[in-house]
């Protein structure tokens, strides 16, 4: 027998009759640990001989990762990561040169150098990413190790089980805490339950806070119910993103009817955020508007996710991802009325922001009321928008997707929109009238179904044959601002449907995508290139044909001059997918005078406004040549208009309309001297879906003395007011 602990405690016995070795497998316990991780990924750590250690990445394979994940109760492994990607561990490196077939029940069964025999450093600690799905009926606590100290909670599932009287309330905010282990739902004894444990449970289910509760009714209810307790207590600090990140507490002795003698089944009560007030059955709030003035999320495909932006001195800016972690992300999520953070994202995973980087090296305790209360480095030198931090938050289960569906599409992300509506006292499925149906309405549908952004909004869906019993139009006049969480919250005609064209082939439809472009105009380029030019009308014939001049030019003398406010516009795509015109090339309009195709009817509005917002002069830019003029280093141009090529703007590229191009101006011939506002709006009619429309408007202060013009204080503004006017003009 080999008993030297520095080498191995594996026992081998040679049996001549079998001509092989029988291996007595030592008892080990596994856990996942490390930095910036989710509960189903992390550094592989092994508890052996009462001591936690790590595993070296030498010879590690996906088969070894599969063994690790299944031993931890996950269905399978997704990948593995070498070189301490989840941070360096401590203590012994227990296993090196692992060779697994993938069929082993425990990592201890795989061939290796032996426990503790390694020439590795902790810079070679291996990590794994497991599938999120748990093994049904898996018994997590198998007493493989002699000590439970340091083990994380591992169960199949967790739930808040509401009482019968509250199960119709949406969302469920209060009830018994139950965990699924060994295929059975079990209660947790309240004997050692703490407020910090409740905070973690509430955060998992999308609620920012927990609250006190009157447990007397629950105590009476528990006496009448059959109990099946889980055998352990739980120790959470309150900062964990998931119960699986909490530590196991002491083992609770369970014997017959005397189980949990000093307690009862644990009950939690959670406080929902502003946008998720509980309601009976289907009565949701009318609109969702985040009122938090200091922090916001932008660019996210789903509710509760996005790039983190903070307000400082009246300017929105981003947060650098240096030291960005799940604690800081959770502070953001709870501040905005969501639960704890599912992920803390770095590297501009939700697209790049604009303006300043306001915060760097953020460090939070996890209990701050606002991200602005956390410690941070006020000097953000060295941080670019490629390092913008983002979050994904836990949100309450509101059942939004049960009242809406897509029917007839080629895949689950597209189809005719069908809604569940009340008619004659019963709920029936029906279609949505496509009159006024557009990108904003499609965006709300995709968000409500958890399918991301709208790719297209369809006003004809004859090619998608939905359920024949759902042909009737049950919703019409839908107009959305884009902030709504459900289609019900948008303006619409109510129970009195008005749809002149009827449903059928004219029913509304959508296609959805998880990524979208995000166009941003460079305010600096506009400010630096503004100037005046006087040009004779006879030299502007093409521009006049394309309605790029003031209407007074129609009756003007051809030898007269027009005064043009010229400037360059540089439009970046900061999103996560290419910007492509909505119309396909075969439907683009050819303009003979300029010898180019228009792929969008209007790509940009140029307006000169008085200080009170009244329009005094206007221009517009059709998308005559939407292409990649320049790109960031390492990015290849994909769109070029020459030889009638494809049009678009690649992610990380920008299209520059030079100041000397036709129609790149505002005709101010009839404008009197004074102070004005120069406003530029990209994609003004929302023809193409973007991840963020709030950065599509740029405003500058302008002073015109009759001979010269000064443009200053250019900044990217909000589109809320614009959208409101757009809605009112079309109702």
């Amino acid at each position: 027998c080999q008993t030297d602990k520095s080498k191995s405690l594996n026992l081998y016995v040679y049996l001549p009759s079998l001509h092989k070795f029988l291996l007595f497998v030592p008892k080990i316990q596994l856990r996942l640990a490390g930095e910036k991780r989710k509960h189903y990924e992390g550094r592989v750590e092994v508890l052996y001989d009462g001591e936690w250690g790590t595993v070296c990445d030498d010879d590690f394979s996906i088969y070894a990762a599969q063994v690790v994940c299944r031993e931890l109760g996950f269905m399978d492994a997704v990948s593995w990561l070498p070189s301490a990607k989840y941070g360096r561990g401590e203590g012994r490196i227990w296993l090196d040169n692992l060779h697994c077939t993938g069929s082993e029940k425990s990592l201890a069964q795989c061939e290796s150098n032996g426990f503790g025999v390694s020439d590795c450093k902790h810079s070679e600690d291996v990590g794994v990413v497991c599938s999120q799905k748990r093994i049904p009926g898996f018994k997590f606590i198998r007493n493989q190790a002699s000590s439970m100290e340091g083990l994380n909670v591992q169960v199949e599932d967790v739930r808040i089980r509401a009482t019968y009287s509250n199960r119709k309330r949406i969302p469920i905010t209060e009830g018994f805490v139950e965990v699924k282990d060994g295929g059975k739902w079990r209660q947790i004894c309240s004997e050692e339950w703490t407020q910090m444990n409740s905070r973690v449970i509430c955060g998992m289910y999308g609620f920012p806070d927990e609250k006190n509760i009157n447990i007397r009714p629950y105590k009476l209810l528990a006496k009448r119910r059959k109990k099946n307790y889980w055998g352990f207590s739980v120790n959470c600090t309150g900062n964990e993103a998931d119960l699986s990140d909490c530590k196991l507490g002491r083992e609770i002795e369970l014997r017959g009817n005397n189980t949990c003698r000093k307690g009862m089944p644990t009950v939690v009560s959670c406080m929902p955020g502003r946008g998720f007030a509980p309601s009976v059955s289907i009565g949701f709030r009318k609109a969702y508007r985040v009122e938090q003035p200091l922090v916001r999320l932008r660019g996210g495909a789903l509710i509760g996710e996005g790039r983190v932006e903070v307000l400082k001195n009246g300017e929105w800016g981003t947060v650098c991802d240096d030291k960005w972690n799940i604690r800081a992300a959770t502070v953001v999520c709870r501040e905005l009325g969501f639960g704890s953070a599912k992920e803390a994202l770095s590297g501009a995973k939700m697209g790049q922001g604009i303006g300043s980087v306001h915060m760097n090296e953020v460090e939070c305790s996890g209990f701050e009321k606002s991200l602005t209360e956390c410690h941070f480095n006020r000097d953000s030198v060295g941080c670019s928008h490629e390092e913008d931090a983002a979050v994904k938050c836990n949100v309450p289960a509101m059942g939004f997707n049960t009242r809406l569906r897509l029917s007839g599409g080629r895949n689950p992300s597209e189809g005719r929109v069908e809604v569940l509506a009340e008619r004659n006292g019963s709920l029936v499925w029906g279609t949505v009238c496509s009159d006024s149906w557009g990108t904003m309405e499609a965006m709300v549908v995709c968000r409500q179904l958890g399918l991301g952004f709208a790719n297209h909004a369809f006003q004809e869906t004859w090619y998608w044959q939905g359920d024949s019993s759902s042909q009737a139009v049950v919703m019409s006049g839908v107009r959305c601002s884009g902030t709504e969480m459900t289609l019900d919250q948008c303006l619409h005609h109510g129970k009195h449907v008005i749809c002149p064209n009827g449903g059928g082939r004219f029913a509304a439809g959508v296609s959805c995508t998880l990524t979208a472009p995000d166009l941003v105009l460079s305010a600096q380029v506009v400010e630096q290139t503004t100037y005046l030019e006087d040009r004779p009308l006879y030299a502007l014939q093409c521009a006049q044909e394309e309605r790029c001049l003031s209407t007074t030019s129609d009756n003007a003398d051809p030898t007269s001059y027009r005064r043009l406010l010229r400037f360059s516009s540089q439009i970046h795509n900061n999103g996560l997918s290419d910007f492509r015109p909505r119309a396909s090339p075969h439907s683009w309009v050819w303009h003979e005078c300029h010898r180019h195709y228009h792929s969008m009817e209007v790509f940009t509005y140029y307006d000169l406004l008085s200080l009170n917002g009244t329009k005094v002069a206007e221009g517009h830019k059709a998308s005559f040549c939407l292409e990649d003029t320049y790109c960031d280093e390492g990015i290849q141009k994909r769109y070029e208009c020459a030889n009638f090529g494809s049009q678009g703007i690649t992610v990380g590229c920008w299209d520059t309309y030079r100041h000397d191009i036709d129609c790149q101006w505002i005709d101010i011939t009839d404008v009197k001297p004074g102070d004005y506002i120069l406003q530029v709006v990209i994609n003004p009619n929302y023809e193409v879906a973007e991840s963020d429309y709030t950065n599509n408007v740029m405003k500058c202060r302008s002073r015109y003395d009759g001979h010269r013009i000064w443009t200053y204080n250019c900044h990217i503004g909000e589109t809320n007011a614009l959208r409101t006017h757009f809605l009112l003009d079309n109702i």
Side-chain angles (χ1 to χ4, degrees):
C1 291
Q2 189 177 14
T3 57
D4 185 352
K5 287 183 182 178
S6 67
K7 296 180 180 178
S8 177
L9 283 177
N10 295 347
L11 303 180
Y12 300 89
V13 178
Y14 182 66
L15 301 178
S17 60
L18 298 178
H19 299 285
K20 65 179 180 180
F21 287 96
L22 293 181
L23 175 62
F24 291 86
V25 182
K27 292 181 179 180
I28 64 170
Q29 189 77 45
L30 302 182
R31 70 181 181 187
L32 300 179
E35 306 165 359
K36 293 186 178 180
R37 66 183 189 90
K38 298 175 277 291
H39 68 275
Y40 49 86
E41 66 177 352
R43 181 176 61 247
V44 180
E45 295 194 349
V46 180
L47 178 64
Y48 173 70
D49 198 25
E51 182 181 348
W52 284 103
T54 62
V55 177
C56 183
D57 59 17
D58 291 349
D59 294 334
F60 201 86
S61 67
I62 190 64
Y63 301 112
Q66 289 170 350
V67 175
V68 169
C69 291
R70 284 199 296 270
E71 191 168 1
L72 288 168
F74 298 100
M75 289 286 283
D76 202 358
V78 175
S79 63
W80 64 278
L81 299 95
S83 307
K85 289 295 192 299
Y86 293 99
R88 301 184 183 192
E90 298 177 346
R92 303 281 288 275
I93 298 176
W94 278 126
L95 292 169
D96 188 10
N97 297 112
L98 268 171
H99 293 272
C100 302
T101 66
S103 61
E104 293 86 356
K105 299 293 184 185
S106 170
L107 204 62
Q109 292 178 322
C110 299
E111 292 182 15
S112 70
N113 294 346
F115 279 85
V117 181
S118 173
D119 59 357
C120 297
K121 298 178 180 179
H122 281 298
S123 59
E124 301 170 85
D125 286 343
V126 76
V128 299
V129 179
C130 302
S131 65
Q132 297 185 49
K133 194 171 182 181
R134 294 286 197 180
I135 298 174
F138 188 87
K139 190 71 175 175
F140 288 86
I141 305 300
R142 297 189 298 270
N143 293 321
Q144 290 180 322
S146 57
S147 171
M148 296 298 169
E149 184 180 353
L151 285 184
N152 284 17
V153 174
Q154 294 181 46
V155 291
E156 286 178 61
D157 204 355
V158 185
R159 72 180 181 186
I160 299 175
R161 187 183 182 190
T163 59
Y164 291 113
S165 60
N166 287 327
R167 285 186 186 173
K168 287 188 177 181
R169 290 173 66 85
I170 299 174
I172 293 174
T173 60
E174 185 176 296
F176 293 105
V177 179
E178 296 186 343
V179 296
K180 195 175 187 181
D181 187 28
K184 295 182 179 180
W185 286 104
R186 306 172 192 274
Q187 301 90 34
I188 299 179
C189 179
S190 65
E191 186 178 334
E192 297 183 7
W193 190 261
T194 67
Q195 185 181 0
M196 293 298 101
N197 295 349
S198 295
R199 175 181 168 87
V200 172
I201 295 293
C202 290
M204 284 175 61
Y205 281 90
F207 305 115
D209 295 299
E210 76 290 342
K211 62 180 180 180
N212 294 327
I213 183 175
N214 178 12
I215 64 169
R216 291 182 63 184
Y218 287 95
K219 188 174 287 188
L220 295 172
L221 187 60
K223 286 181 179 179
R224 299 196 297 267
R225 283 187 174 178
K226 184 178 179 180
K227 291 175 281 295
N228 181 18
Y229 283 103
W230 192 51
F232 295 87
S233 60
V234 176
N235 289 331
C236 301
T237 65
N239 272 324
E240 294 84 356
D242 193 274
L243 187 67
S244 60
D245 296 322
C246 298
K247 301 299 182 186
L248 272 180
R250 70 176 182 87
E251 189 170 0
I252 295 177
E253 186 178 353
L254 303 176
R255 292 181 300 177
N257 294 329
N258 293 324
T259 58
C260 194
R261 285 174 293 180
K262 296 182 181 179
M264 57 173 279
T266 293
V267 177
V268 298
S269 182
C270 306
M271 184 81 72
R274 291 178 296 274
F276 304 97
S279 57
V280 176
S281 186
I282 61 173
F284 303 116
R285 277 192 175 184
K286 269 297 183 188
Y288 171 69
R289 290 182 175 84
V290 176
E291 299 169 1
Q292 173 55 246
L294 298 178
V295 179
R296 69 183 185 185
L297 300 183
R298 286 292 181 270
L302 305 175
I303 299 169
E305 67 177 44
R307 177 179 61 252
V308 180
E309 297 186 352
V310 294
L311 187 64
K312 178 183 178 182
N313 298 328
E315 179 196 4
W316 286 102
T318 61
V319 177
C320 185
D321 62 13
D322 292 349
K323 296 187 178 180
W324 186 250
N325 59 24
I326 201 74
R327 284 193 181 186
T330 291
V331 170
V332 170
C333 291
R334 293 185 188 272
E335 178 179 5
L336 294 175
F338 304 112
S340 53
K342 290 188 288 188
E343 289 186 65
L345 300 170
S346 56
K349 290 291 194 320
M350 295 288 181
Q352 296 184 26
I354 57 175
S356 302
V357 179
H358 284 335
M359 300 178 78
N360 184 21
E361 298 178 357
V362 178
E363 295 184 75
C364 304
S365 70
F367 294 95
E368 292 87 354
K369 294 297 182 183
S370 171
L371 186 70
T372 58
E373 297 177 7
C374 298
H375 295 289
F376 64 96
N377 182 354
R378 296 177 184 275
D379 182 8
S380 57
V381 174
C383 273
S384 68
H385 286 300
E386 293 177 354
E387 301 170 87
D388 284 344
V391 298
K392 288 186 178 181
C393 307
N394 286 310
V395 297
M398 300 294 290
F400 288 151
N401 58 340
T402 62
R403 297 184 51 78
L404 193 69
R405 69 187 184 191
L406 302 184
S407 182
R410 295 163 297 179
N411 58 64
S413 295
E414 68 174 21
R416 187 178 75 183
V417 178
E418 296 180 355
V419 298
L420 194 61
E422 186 177 344
R423 289 294 180 269
N424 300 321
S426 60
L427 292 174
V428 297
W429 286 100
T431 61
V432 179
C433 183
S434 63
D435 287 356
S436 76
W437 186 259
T439 301
M440 281 299 190
E441 291 69 41
M443 291 283 261
V444 173
V445 167
C446 293
R447 185 188 304 124
Q448 182 175 349
L449 291 172
L451 298 175
F453 304 106
N455 199 25
H456 289 292
F458 300 94
Q459 293 189 333
E460 288 190 40
T461 53
W462 54 268
Y463 37 80
W464 287 332
Q465 295 301 317
D467 192 324
S468 59
S469 64
S470 307
Q471 296 293 335
V473 177
V474 296
M475 182 180 283
S476 64
V478 181
R479 298 298 291 163
C480 302
S481 68
T483 61
E484 299 87 354
M485 286 193 288
T486 71
L487 205 62
D488 286 343
Q489 295 172 352
C490 299
L491 295 172
H492 59 91
H493 288 150
K495 294 182 179 180
H496 302 288
V497 173
I498 305 171
C499 192
N501 292 327
R505 64 175 293 178
F506 296 106
V510 301
S511 66
C512 306
T513 177
L514 288 175
T515 58
D518 182 22
L519 297 188
V520 182
L521 181 73
S522 171
Q524 183 180 14
V525 169
V526 172
E527 189 168 331
Q528 292 174 347
T529 58
T530 307
Y531 68 99
L532 295 179
E533 180 190 19
D534 292 337
R535 200 167 189 186
L537 182 58
Y538 63 78
L540 298 170
Q541 290 181 0
C542 285
Q544 194 166 20
E545 284 182 23
E546 295 189 17
R547 313 305 300 169
C548 295
L549 298 175
S550 171
T551 55
T552 59
S553 67
D554 295 342
N555 301 316
D557 186 330
T559 61
S560 64
Y561 281 75
R562 308 303 295 182
R563 175 155 290 182
L564 307 176
L565 169 58
R566 284 186 173 273
F567 52 88
S568 297
S569 61
Q570 183 175 296
I571 299 165
H572 295 243
N573 183 358
N574 286 353
L576 299 177
S577 65
D578 295 353
F579 184 94
R580 298 291 304 275
R582 179 183 176 184
S584 55
H586 73 270
S587 62
W588 293 353
V589 179
W590 175 256
H591 282 250
E592 184 66 29
C593 192
H594 279 136
R595 305 288 297 173
H596 59 243
Y597 279 105
H598 282 196
S599 57
M600 295 174 67
E601 185 178 347
V602 175
F603 179 59
T604 313
Y605 281 150
Y606 306 139
D607 296 318
L608 196 67
L609 312 175
S610 66
L611 296 183
N612 65 9
T614 304
K615 188 185 299 184
V616 297
E618 64 181 21
H620 75 276
K621 173 60 67 181
S623 178
F624 73 91
C625 178
L626 200 61
E627 64 178 357
D628 297 326
T629 310
Y630 299 102
C631 295
D632 291 331
E633 186 177 349
I635 296 177
Q636 190 72 30
K637 294 181 181 180
R638 298 181 60 186
Y639 304 102
E640 187 174 6
C641 295
N643 300 319
F644 312 121
S646 59
Q647 294 192 25
I649 307 177
T650 304
V651 174
C653 299
W654 57 94
D655 184 10
T656 300
Y657 288 167
R658 285 175 50 86
H659 54 80
D660 54 1
I661 295 175
D662 251 8
C663 296
Q664 185 60 34
W665 63 57
I666 300 177
D667 182 353
I668 64 167
T669 306
D670 307 310
V671 174
K672 297 177 181 179
D675 289 317
Y676 297 97
I677 297 172
L678 170 62
Q679 177 176 277
V680 179
V681 186
I682 308 169
N683 192 14
N685 296 333
Y686 309 99
E687 282 190 51
V688 178
E690 297 184 47
S691 60
D692 186 2
Y693 286 109
T694 63
N695 54 20
N696 282 27
V697 176
M698 186 218 66
K699 293 183 179 180
C700 305
R701 289 294 301 271
S702 292
R703 174 164 291 178
Y704 175 47
D705 67 359
H707 306 283
R708 295 170 296 174
I709 195 162
W710 292 266
T711 303
Y712 56 98
N713 287 350
C714 292
H715 66 279
I716 304 298
E718 301 285 350
T719 60
N720 293 347
L722 172 80
R723 179 62 181 170
T724 301
H725 290 310
F726 182 76
L727 279 172
L728 293 176
D729 290 342
N730 288 274
I731 291 177

